[in-house]
Amino acid sequence: MTNTVVEIHVPLREGPRLSETDYAFPWIDVIEEFLAEVEEQGQAEVFDDGEEFGDVYVFFISGAEEDMLLRVASRVAALDGVPDGAFAMVSDDEAEEFGLGRRVELPLP
C-alpha cells in the first residue's frame, strides 16, 4: 500500500532586506520550524529532508490524508517571507523521483 506524499515546491529566491552576511534563504528555516511543529502536533509527518531541486527548494510531507497535507502545504506557502509562486505536487512514497504527480497551486483559496 502506498502513502500519499505532498511535495511543497518553493521558488529559490533570496529573502528581502538581506545584508551581505545574512543567510540568503531564511524562509527555509522558517518552513522547517513550521513543519516540525506540525509534525509534533500530529497533523502530518516530514517525509524526507528538504532539498534544492533546480530553481526550487522542495519540502516533503506525508502521514495524513491528502486534504490535510494540502492544507499544511497551503499554510507553508502563506508564511511570512516565503516567496510567491509555491506549489504542491501530490505523489506517493513509491514514486521513483520527485516533481512528478498532480500539481496544486498554493496557497489554496
Side-chain angles (χ1 to χ4, degrees), residues 4-19:
T4 301
V5 174
V6 168
E7 306 167 4
I8 306 167
H9 294 242
V10 181
L12 199 54
R13 293 190 202 118
E14 292 185 2
R17 300 176 301 277
L18 297 172
S19 72

Side-chain angles (χ1 to χ4, degrees), residues 55-98:
D55 61 351
V56 297
Y57 197 90
V58 184
F59 301 88
F60 306 89
I61 55 175
S62 188
E65 296 293 322
E66 180 180 323
D67 62 331
M68 173 60 83
L69 296 174
L70 288 172
R71 284 197 304 268
V72 169
S74 184
R75 289 169 44 207
V76 164
L79 291 170
D80 285 341
V82 173
D84 291 337
F87 63 92
M89 296 296 288
V90 179
S91 185
D92 63 57
D93 59 356
E94 293 184 3
E96 293 185 24
E97 59 185 279
F98 55 87

Side-chain angles (χ1 to χ4, degrees), residues 28-38:
I28 291 175
D29 293 334
V30 170
I31 292 173
E32 287 177 345
E33 288 174 23
F34 174 79
L35 291 177
E37 290 174 16
V38 164

Side-chain angles (χ1 to χ4, degrees), residues 14-52:
E14 292 185 2
R17 300 176 301 277
L18 297 172
S19 72
E20 290 181 22
T21 58
D22 288 339
Y23 176 48
F25 308 108
W27 52 265
I28 291 175
D29 293 334
V30 170
I31 292 173
E32 287 177 345
E33 288 174 23
F34 174 79
L35 291 177
E37 290 174 16
V38 164
E39 187 170 43
E40 194 174 285
Q41 296 167 358
Q43 297 175 14
E45 299 170 1
V46 174
F47 179 73
D48 201 356
D49 292 334
E51 64 182 88
E52 190 173 330

